[in-house]
Structure formats: structure tokens, C-alpha cells
Amino acid sequence: QVQLQQSGPGLVKPSQTLSLTCAISGDSVSSNSAAWNWIRQSPSRGLEWLGRTYYRSNWYNDYAVSVRSRITIIPDTSKNQFSLQLNSVTPEDTAVYYCGRQVGHYFDCWGQGTLVTVSS
Amino acid sequence: QSALTQPASVSGSPGQSITISCTGTSSDVGSYNLVSWYQQHPGKAPKFMTYEVSKRPSGVSNRFSGSKSGNMASLTISGLQAEDEADYYCCSYAGSSTWVFGGGTKLTVL
């Protein structure tokens, strides 16, 4: 049974970097059949796919156009986890952030969610 | 990409059937049979209910069924039960290794 456990701060100051980590159990970040995603949810934007990392003999990333200039998703094979870094945050980045496993084109397992507030 | 369009709310009585629509464009829903649906109870993470338009993962009731016609996908829930009351979101592959979600629909079981 796959489980995803998120960690990271719930408060980030404007212009700083939002950093979250998702620890994986029951699967591997290096899986050849899964991808590891970050998705956020806010009242104004609903659910928004942000990006993913995955391994297919090499590491690859895909990012949403809306955040492409500010986002990095990094796998950590030694800890079997992956991380989100979102730079230059503004109050509009306030949201609940979820990590999720993707198999094919659907998200079959989600983390518990982390509310991140951007405020000084 | 713009979010897929869903009605803000739908309602039905126990035992009835309801359908939630999800309207996209020819660049997402209309181009790929890669629509999935998610159920979200308050304070919980989304749970996936259907994938590739009409397939159901093991453990999901056959009361949930998905379909698609043109740029619009739909989720039908038959035999409504109290525990079906939740928010529902559609999601579609949008090309170029990107995915787009709908704005969500609140289902109320009367």
C-alpha cells in the first residue's frame, strides 16, 4: 500500500521560497511506471497541477506553464522522497499543497495536504 | 491552460441518479480519452474514482460511471447515498505532458 507523507513549513514570507517534501512508502521514487507530482488547491484557483518528476532510465520533469519559471521538483533517491521548491512566492501562492503519485494519466495516491500561507 | 468547467453545485435525493458535467476544449477533453474524476470530502485529500473516461479502480462502487462526448465528460452517480456528499473534480490530460483540473462541483444529498 503506497503512502505519501508530506512535511514542510506552513508559513512563508512573500518573495521567499516555498519548500515541501513528500516521503514515499510502498513504492520507489525511481519507479519506471509512476510519476511524482505536486498539486495545489485554493478557493480561487481550485485544483491546479503544478508539475512532476519521474524516472525512465533518466530523470525527467514537467511543469505547468503558470509556474514554470519559479518551480523545481527534485527527487531524492537516498531518502525515497521528492521535494517542491517554488520561488518568489506571493499571497496568490497561498494554498493547500498535495503531493501525488501518478500512474498513467491519473493520480491514484495523494499526500495528506499541507496548508501553506504566504504572508509577512 | 484554463480550468475545465464544472457546475458549482448539484443535488439529489437518496436513491436518485445525478450527473456532473465537465466541459473542456478540443485541446484537452476533446482530444484524449484521459479524463479522470476525484471525490473530495471536507478536509481530506482527493480520492480517484474513475480514469480513462470510464474505467473504475478496484474498490470503487459501480454506482460511479464516467463517459465522454466531444469536449464534455460526465460523471454519473446512481443510487445516491448520504456518503456520496462531497466535492467532485474532473481532470484531463492537456497535451505536452500537462494536466488540467475542473473547478469542482459540490454534491448535496438532500
Side-chain angles (χ1 to χ4, degrees):
Chain A
Q1 180 185 354
V2 179
Q3 291 188 321
L4 304 178
Q5 181 67 40
Q6 299 176 217
S7 59
L11 180 63
V12 182
K13 289 182 167 52
S15 80
Q16 294 193 342
T17 297
L18 180 160
S19 296
L20 296 174
T21 297
C22 182
I24 303 164
S25 58
D27 200 348
S28 170
V29 71
S30 304
S31 166
N32 275 300
S33 59
W36 306 95
N37 294 254
W38 287 97
I39 296 160
R40 67 183 178 184
Q41 183 174 32
S42 64
S44 59
R45 302 164 80 108
L47 282 169
E48 180 184 14
W49 176 80
L50 297 177
R52 66 175 186 166
T53 189
Y54 60 101
Y55 183 76
R56 301 289 186 269
S57 302
N58 282 303
W59 287 102
Y60 297 91
N61 291 99
D62 296 305
Y63 299 128
V65 170
S66 60
V67 295
R68 190 165 290 163
S69 63
R70 301 191 291 131
I71 190 173
T72 307
I73 297 177
I74 306 167
D76 183 343
T77 57
S78 66
K79 295 181 179 179
N80 201 32
Q81 64 185 30
F82 61 107
S83 299
L84 166 69
Q85 293 184 350
L86 188 64
N87 303 325
S88 305
V89 297
T90 72
E92 287 215 342
D93 294 309
T94 294
V96 176
Y97 286 75
Y98 291 99
C99 60
R101 186 180 77 163
Q102 182 183 33
V103 178
H105 291 268
Y106 57 94
F107 307 96
D108 70 334
C109 184
W110 298 62
Q112 80 274 24
T114 302
L115 173 60
V116 179
T117 301
V118 179
S119 174
S120 55
Chain B
Q1 294 92 348
S2 299
L4 307 176
T5 301
Q6 298 181 232
S9 63
V10 299
S11 63
S13 299
Q16 287 186 334
S17 294
I18 62 93
T19 297
I20 300 171
S21 62
C22 169
T23 303
T25 70
S26 58
S27 297
D28 39 61
V29 174
S31 285
Y32 310 97
N33 289 324
L34 296 172
V35 176
S36 52
W37 285 90
Y38 301 83
Q39 176 191 64
Q40 186 180 34
H41 287 107
K44 300 293 188 181
K47 171 190 174 186
F48 96 109
M49 305 300 284
T50 69
Y51 66 104
E52 293 174 10
V53 176
S54 59
K55 296 179 181 178
R56 259 189 322 274
S58 60
V60 171
S61 169
N62 59 10
R63 297 186 298 106
F64 293 83
S65 61
S67 61
K68 192 191 92 165
S69 177
N71 295 340
M72 189 173 78
S74 299
L75 176 71
T76 297
I77 308 173
S78 59
L80 267 181
Q81 300 179 1
E83 63 257 35
D84 298 334
E85 185 162 296
D87 294 329
Y88 291 84
Y89 294 88
C90 59
C91 179
S92 175
Y93 180 60
S96 303
S97 297
T98 63
W99 286 264
V100 62
F101 283 91
T105 297
K106 180 177 180 59
L107 169 61
T108 300
V109 181
L110 302 170

